[in-house]
Amino acid sequence: MARHDWIIVGAGFTGAVLAERIASELGQRVLVIDRRQHVAGNAHDQLDAAGILVHTYGPHIFHTNSPKVWAYLSRFTEWRPYFHRVLGMIEGQLVPIPFNLNALYALFPPGLAARLEDRLTDRYAYGARVPILQLRQSTDADLKMLAQYVYQQVFEGYTKKQWGLAPDELDASVTGRVPVLVSRDDRYFQDTYQAMPREGYTRLFERMLDHPNIEVQLGVEFADLPSAPDARVVFTGAIDEFYRYQFGPLEYRSLRFVFETHEVEHYQPVGTVNFPTNFDFTRTTEQKYLTGQRSPRTTTITEYPEAHRPGENEAYYPVPREVNQTLYQRYLALSSDDADRLFFAGRLADYKYYNMDQAVARALQLFEQRIATLPRS
Amino acid sequence: MARHDWIIVGAGFTGAVLAERIASELGQRVLVIDRRQHVAGNAHDQLDAAGILVHTYGPHIFHTNSPKVWAYLSRFTEWRPYFHRVLGMIEGQLVPIPFNLNALYALFPPGLAARLEDRLTDRYAYGARVPILQLRQSTDADLKMLAQYVYQQVFEGYTKKQWGLAPDELDASVTGRVPVLVSRDDRYFQDTYQAMPREGYTRLFERMLDHPNIEVQLGVEFADLPSAPDARVVFTGAIDEFYRYQFGPLEYRSLRFVFETHEVEHYQPVGTVNFPTNFDFTRTTEQKYLTGQRSPRTTTITEYPEAHRPGENEAYYPVPREVNQTLYQRYLALSSDDADRLFFAGRLADYKYYNMDQAVARALQLFEQRIATLPRS
């Protein structure tokens, strides 16, 4: 095995971007390992038994406001423009999420809806995203009622399912943010760039990692590698696992995905349907809307949130509670002695929820600010 | 025949749940008998001559707020989410039942509808279920009119057909409860879990009863069993029949079902259409909405309420009158000497209307509190 300058643990967005940058820009040799049998991390996609392209670890929809991230990824994929739409099942009707003026008219009787529209457009800029925390503090009785309604119908039950916690057990940064959108824009994202990789995420990763300086080994644990004392390391896995859970495990939320194929062209009217107040699952996503694939059948993914059990299921979401941040800081402090030999980056290593574009931006920044400037080892 | 620890009379929800619990949790041997030639009690379903899955004893729609009941039944079936909708034929129009703000706008002229909307949303919390008894006591003339209208158009005629009695002959607990819903939620239920067993109820029961400790004998009367003095008994049939009607029969309401197959994809716009003021039947249910089955034809069930004639038709609904409760208490008192050898449970044995989830909850509770704690016989 050739000597590697770098070992990158994890072939998700963070690891793949750093491998590509180091290989292409610094001309150094990189070994990328992943304990899974595939690249692309949680963005991995593949054809299922029915021939439908599905996202192995739940729906991944790309969106970004960053021209830099967009330009970078565009080197490795063409794109299919896609505006994601989410409808929530509220009082038996499918209405736009985030809650907007269309939802107002779908759910409330005409008189009340018109009054609420007046109150909202009087008080807030058209197009504003008003957090319900702010609406609740309004002195207007109608707006207070609206805030309470959105809290109960959209937020409360969904939050309980998603986190297994009551809203008041979570950081206020999470609970206060749910918006009412003062417009009729029913897209889930308002980012400048909203698109899906035309041949899928896995193909994008294959292109990123296709470089003579990059070697990829799959099904390999970091702990099982022969020691390579000269190589620098980027670790994109869980920081608590890296340090053998010595302060105890960091808390994550996991998901169980149920994939179902239906013998119909479409199963639901839009990409994702949320169930804020019904059932134990949070949402069902129909993959064909995301990928644009045509087929007489269709596959859905339904998400059941569950507690994370290390070694048994995947760690998806850092749980936004003060106590977890404190624990993470203790782990992070352990790494400071190795500051230019060992780097932690990524959703699991930073214990921070990143969208895909944020993971790419974080990796690009780490490369530019800390890795490209290192003395050659 | 092997010796059984338990004889369970009736293979409906109550009997099947208790059989499964006793067999799985206590490891005891259970004989389940039913006088009918099938399991699943009144929840039984089967394919009709047209290949449509129909509910033999009238439409059964599963809904519950109990995570415990939901989790328990989910061991034996997958589910198809289904929100039941009922439209009532009122003044020639199909409007949501329970009566809600959509019904207001469908039935009344725009000015009056808007005024009623204002009165209701001023006076009651949005989303409230206001019993018409309460509306009738309002000092507002419009709301009084609305209460009277709903009473006559939705409640009075339906009640006469359903019970064969005028509203004032029934307990006020029944007549006072009919609500006006201050929202546009047009689902018949608001429960957290609303779904149908994906492969039908009969398949669910077959899975529950498929246990090496359970023997099922169909077409067998309790009275015809050889005596088994060591076995404990759960009787889920009618308590008055068990005690040979010695104080006279308990009063039930029965139904006659008319099944019709139509050579169209859909017969009506939603699962159930009620006819509160017309005809002798109460409602027509189109099975395909409930089950999600696809077919170029469709089967409906129309329900004609009728008096119960023991031995001739089925006892479906305990009649909610004081006199019947008194009679039931006399029968119940007869069973107290056998308190840990003989158990009565279920709609007929408790002389109490249970929805399916309530029957399951009652059986689980009986098992946990009284059966699991018994000394081994």
Side-chain angles (χ1 to χ4, degrees):
Chain A
M1 186 175 82
R3 181 187 161 276
H4 297 102
D5 302 298
W6 290 83
I7 296 169
I8 293 182
V9 183
F13 268 110
T14 305
V17 169
L18 285 166
E20 188 281 329
R21 293 286 75 196
I22 292 168
S24 303
E25 294 291 311
L26 307 183
Q28 298 177 12
R29 285 159 302 169
V30 184
L31 171 64
V32 178
I33 65 166
D34 202 296
R35 60 164 54 135
R36 292 173 175 165
Q37 293 292 348
H38 59 73
V39 297
N42 289 347
H44 183 254
D45 49 18
Q46 60 191 333
L47 294 181
D48 68 8
I52 306 295
L53 186 66
V54 296
H55 295 161
T56 317
Y57 304 93
H60 279 67
I61 297 137
F62 188 81
H63 57 101
T64 189
N65 280 318
S66 163
K68 183 175 170 177
V69 167
W70 177 256
Y72 175 73
L73 292 178
S74 299
R75 300 189 200 173
F76 310 105
T77 189
E78 296 189 2
W79 298 96
R80 171 183 176 262
Y82 170 67
F83 294 113
H84 190 52
R85 284 174 169 79
V86 178
L87 296 175
M89 174 63 78
I90 298 178
E91 297 192 330
Q93 295 209 66
L94 292 174
V95 305
I97 302 289
F99 198 98
N100 64 12
L101 298 178
N102 286 334
L104 218 60
Y105 278 90
L107 290 166
F108 296 114
L112 181 56
R115 219 158 68 218
L116 287 164
E117 181 205 317
D118 278 353
R119 300 281 190 279
L120 286 168
T121 53
D122 270 7
R123 211 148 303 200
Y124 303 102
Y126 192 78
R129 298 171 76 91
V130 187
I132 55 169
L133 205 66
Q134 190 178 331
L135 276 188
R136 278 178 119 174
Q137 288 158 353
S138 167
T139 53
D140 181 85
D142 286 332
L143 291 183
K144 263 181 144 53
M145 183 283 291
L146 177 63
Q148 182 63 10
Y149 181 90
V150 173
Y151 183 86
Q152 286 177 346
Q153 297 288 342
V154 180
F155 178 67
E156 193 177 26
Y158 197 90
T159 299
K160 277 184 194 157
K161 282 191 279 192
Q162 173 74 5
W163 298 108
L165 295 168
D168 61 10
E169 296 174 278
L170 290 163
D171 286 356
S173 62
V174 180
T175 56
R177 258 183 337 214
V178 182
V180 168
L181 198 53
V182 188
S183 84
R184 297 177 63 186
D185 187 348
D186 62 0
R187 296 172 305 168
Y188 194 64
F189 305 113
Q190 273 76 37
D191 297 49
T192 306
Y193 306 94
Q194 303 186 39
M196 300 288 288
R198 200 173 277 277
E199 296 172 67
Y201 289 102
T202 303
R203 191 76 195 90
L204 183 165
F205 276 77
E206 286 166 357
R207 289 215 189 91
M208 283 174 92
L209 295 167
D210 180 19
H211 190 284
N213 288 344
I214 299 177
E215 181 185 350
V216 178
Q217 292 182 11
L218 298 175
V220 173
E221 294 278 348
F222 182 53
D224 297 341
L225 279 189
S227 82
D230 292 343
R232 288 177 163 129
V233 171
V234 177
F235 191 82
T236 76
I239 192 169
D240 54 342
E241 183 187 345
F242 184 87
Y243 288 115
R244 294 158 196 270
Y245 303 109
Q246 60 184 277
F247 305 132
L250 284 162
E251 187 184 15
Y252 284 94
R253 195 69 174 156
S254 189
L255 291 168
R256 183 167 60 87
F257 298 110
V258 175
F259 293 81
E260 289 175 288
T261 299
H262 313 266
E263 293 298 322
V264 290
E265 194 175 351
H266 277 299
Y267 177 78
Q268 61 191 32
V270 294
T272 297
V273 173
N274 280 4
F275 290 86
T277 59
N278 294 103
F279 308 111
D280 299 324
F281 51 89
T282 47
R283 57 185 182 181
T284 296
T285 297
E286 183 174 350
Q287 290 272 204
K288 280 165 63 182
Y289 285 104
L290 280 54
T291 59
Q293 190 178 359
R294 283 157 201 275
S295 167
R297 56 191 72 83
T298 194
T299 299
T300 54
I301 310 181
T302 298
E303 301 176 44
Y304 291 81
E306 59 184 21
H308 175 230
R309 300 179 302 277
E312 287 180 56
N313 59 10
E314 302 287 338
Y316 289 119
Y317 301 107
V319 179
R321 293 207 287 178
E322 185 65 36
V323 53
N324 297 328
Q325 270 310 309
T326 307
L327 182 57
Y328 163 68
Q329 292 297 336
R330 290 182 69 193
Y331 279 114
L332 188 63
L334 295 178
S335 71
S336 57
D337 289 345
D338 302 316
D340 69 350
R341 313 283 317 158
L342 171 62
F343 298 85
F344 289 91
R347 191 193 282 202
L348 294 167
D350 293 333
Y351 194 64
K352 188 166 176 185
Y353 187 87
Y354 292 132
N355 290 324
M356 291 181 282
D357 66 321
Q358 294 170 317
V360 172
R362 158 82 170 120
L364 291 175
Q365 191 181 43
L366 178 68
F367 175 77
E368 289 159 13
Q369 298 187 351
R370 295 190 48 209
I371 291 179
T373 58
L374 285 173
R376 180 111 196 181
S377 60
Chain B
M1 185 175 83
R3 181 187 161 274
H4 297 102
D5 303 297
W6 290 83
I7 295 169
I8 293 183
V9 183
F13 268 110
T14 306
V17 170
L18 285 167
E20 188 280 331
R21 294 285 74 195
I22 292 168
S24 304
E25 294 290 311
L26 306 184
Q28 298 177 13
R29 284 158 303 170
V30 184
L31 171 64
V32 179
I33 64 166
D34 202 296
R35 61 163 55 133
R36 291 171 175 166
Q37 293 292 348
H38 60 73
V39 298
N42 289 347
H44 182 254
D45 48 18
Q46 59 191 333
L47 294 181
D48 68 7
I52 305 296
L53 187 66
V54 296
H55 295 161
T56 318
Y57 303 93
H60 280 67
I61 296 136
F62 187 80
H63 56 102
T64 189
N65 279 318
S66 163
K68 183 176 170 176
V69 168
W70 177 257
Y72 176 72
L73 293 178
S74 298
R75 299 188 201 175
F76 310 105
T77 188
E78 297 190 1
W79 299 96
R80 170 182 178 264
Y82 170 67
F83 294 111
H84 190 52
R85 285 176 168 78
V86 177
L87 296 176
M89 175 61 79
I90 297 177
E91 297 191 328
Q93 295 210 66
L94 291 175
V95 306
I97 301 290
F99 197 97
N100 66 11
L101 297 177
N102 286 334
L104 218 61
Y105 279 89
L107 291 166
F108 296 116
L112 180 55
R115 216 159 70 220
L116 286 164
E117 180 208 317
D118 278 352
R119 300 280 190 278
L120 287 168
T121 54
D122 271 6
R123 209 148 305 200
Y124 303 103
Y126 193 78
R129 298 171 76 91
V130 188
I132 55 169
L133 207 64
Q134 191 178 329
L135 274 189
R136 281 177 116 172
Q137 288 157 356
S138 168
T139 53
D140 181 88
D142 285 332
L143 291 182
K144 265 181 143 51
M145 181 283 292
L146 177 64
Q148 183 62 12
Y149 181 90
V150 173
Y151 183 86
Q152 286 177 348
Q153 297 288 342
V154 179
F155 179 68
E156 194 177 24
Y158 196 91
T159 299
K160 277 183 193 157
K161 280 192 282 191
Q162 173 73 4
W163 297 108
L165 294 168
D168 60 11
E169 297 175 276
L170 290 162
D171 287 355
S173 63
V174 181
T175 54
R177 261 187 329 218
V178 182
V180 168
L181 199 53
V182 187
S183 84
R184 296 175 62 187
D185 189 347
D186 61 0
R187 296 172 304 170
Y188 195 63
F189 306 113
Q190 273 75 38
D191 297 50
T192 304
Y193 304 94
Q194 303 186 40
M196 300 290 287
R198 202 175 274 278
E199 296 172 65
Y201 289 102
T202 303
R203 190 78 195 86
L204 184 165
F205 277 78
E206 286 167 354
R207 290 215 189 91
M208 281 176 92
L209 295 167
D210 179 19
H211 191 284
N213 289 341
I214 299 178
E215 182 185 347
V216 178
Q217 292 182 12
L218 299 173
V220 173
E221 293 279 349
F222 181 53
D224 298 342
L225 278 191
S227 82
D230 291 343
R232 290 177 161 129
V233 171
V234 177
F235 190 82
T236 75
I239 193 169
D240 54 342
E241 182 187 346
F242 184 89
Y243 289 114
R244 294 157 196 273
Y245 302 109
Q246 59 184 275
F247 306 131
L250 283 162
E251 187 185 15
Y252 284 96
R253 194 68 174 159
S254 189
L255 291 167
R256 182 168 59 86
F257 298 111
V258 175
F259 293 82
E260 289 174 288
T261 298
H262 313 267
E263 293 297 323
V264 290
E265 195 175 352
H266 277 298
Y267 177 78
Q268 62 191 31
V270 294
T272 296
V273 173
N274 280 4
F275 292 85
T277 59
N278 296 100
F279 310 113
D280 300 323
F281 51 91
T282 47
R283 57 185 181 181
T284 296
T285 298
E286 184 173 349
Q287 290 272 202
K288 280 166 63 182
Y289 284 104
L290 282 53
T291 58
Q293 190 177 359
R294 283 156 201 272
S295 167
R297 55 190 73 82
T298 194
T299 299
T300 54
I301 310 181
T302 298
E303 300 176 45
Y304 292 80
E306 59 184 23
H308 175 228
R309 300 177 302 277
E312 287 179 56
N313 59 9
E314 302 287 338
Y316 288 118
Y317 301 106
V319 179
R321 292 208 287 177
E322 185 66 35
V323 54
N324 296 328
Q325 269 309 309
T326 307
L327 182 55
Y328 162 69
Q329 291 297 336
R330 291 182 68 194
Y331 279 114
L332 187 63
L334 294 178
S335 70
S336 58
D337 289 344
D338 302 316
D340 68 352
R341 312 285 316 160
L342 171 61
F343 299 85
F344 289 92
R347 190 193 284 202
L348 294 167
D350 293 333
Y351 193 64
K352 189 166 175 183
Y353 187 87
Y354 291 133
N355 290 324
M356 290 181 282
D357 66 321
Q358 294 169 319
V360 172
R362 158 83 170 120
L364 291 175
Q365 189 180 46
L366 178 68
F367 175 77
E368 288 159 15
Q369 298 188 351
R370 294 190 49 208
I371 290 180
T373 59
L374 285 174
R376 180 112 197 181
S377 62

